[in-house]
């Protein structure tokens, strides 16, 4: 092939240099034969269990796989009423404790979705930041509208709000 021949064998216009086409592939682009990832934030709350169930039903319908993510974070200082005491997050290895509750939640939901692949990830950091980071390689991120925070009656939790505002993929808020 020379500069006057197209890759398909046809001639090019005289004096025109062939160029390669640039194809943009975003996180929602489907690659044939590759299952997309649905990332689900799981904090053990009722809302996160609903989110995991929704994600599994969606994954089953689309042939995708689910990545259940739990994020733990140790606060730099114990609350004043806990100084000298042993708060729950110091009673066990936080990675192991988080993996244990994530496993329990996934086992509970997976029983109803035996045909859906559910991967479990336990991360250390700030939940919203970690989920936003994971959204770059996800088809969608599914969260409970409110989480395990202590503000009853809120229609949208702080993690859900941050992910909704900054995610690089579709965000689904389950109720």
């Amino acid at each position: 092939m020379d500069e006057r021949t197209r890759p398909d064998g046809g001639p090019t216009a005289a004096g025109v240099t062939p160029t390669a086409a640039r194809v943009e592939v975003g996180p929602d682009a489907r690659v044939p034969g590759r299952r997309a990832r649905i990332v689900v934030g799981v904090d053990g709350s009722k809302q996160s269990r609903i989110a995991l169930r929704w994600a599994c039903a969606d994954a089953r319908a689309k042939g995708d796989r689910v990545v259940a993510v739990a994020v733990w974070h140790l606060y730099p200082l114990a609350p004043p009423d806990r100084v000298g005491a042993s708060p729950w997050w110091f009673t066990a290895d936080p990675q192991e404790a988080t993996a244990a509750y994530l496993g329990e939640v996934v086992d509970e939901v997976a029983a109803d979705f035996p045909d859906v692949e559910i991967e479990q990830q336990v991360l250390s950091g700030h939940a919203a930041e970690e989920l936003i980071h994971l959204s770059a390689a996800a088809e969608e991120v599914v969260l409970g509208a409110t989480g395990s925070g202590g503000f009853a009656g809120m229609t949208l939790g702080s993690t859900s709000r941050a992910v909704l505002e900054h995610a690089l993929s579709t965000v689904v808020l389950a109720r």
Side-chain angles (χ1 to χ4, degrees), residues 64-137:
D64 292 345
R65 63 189 171 104
V66 172
V67 181
V69 179
V71 182
W72 62 271
H73 176 75
L74 290 180
Y75 297 97
L77 298 173
D81 61 327
R82 302 299 280 179
V83 173
S86 178
W88 74 267
W89 57 81
F90 291 123
T91 60
D93 178 87
Q95 181 81 14
E96 288 179 20
T98 305
Y101 88 72
L102 177 60
E104 289 172 11
V105 173
V106 168
D107 288 347
E108 171 189 317
V109 173
D112 295 334
F113 299 93
D115 54 336
V116 174
E117 176 188 348
I118 305 174
E119 175 187 331
Q120 298 178 46
Q121 283 189 15
V122 176
L123 304 172
S124 171
H126 186 272
E129 290 174 6
E130 295 300 327
L131 291 166
I132 291 165
H133 175 73
L134 291 171
S135 75

Side-chain angles (χ1 to χ4, degrees), residues 40-55 69 101 105 109 142-148 174:
V40 185
V42 178
D43 63 6
S45 68
K46 177 183 175 187
Q47 294 286 333
S48 73
R49 284 174 161 79
I50 292 169
L52 183 56
R53 286 186 180 286
W54 191 96
V69 179
Y101 88 72
V105 173
V109 173
V142 183
L143 303 168
T146 58
S148 60

Side-chain angles (χ1 to χ4, degrees), residues 1-7 10-20:
M1 178 170 88
D2 64 23
E3 66 274 358
R4 291 172 291 168
T5 307
R6 293 191 318 235
T12 61
V16 176
T17 305
T19 59

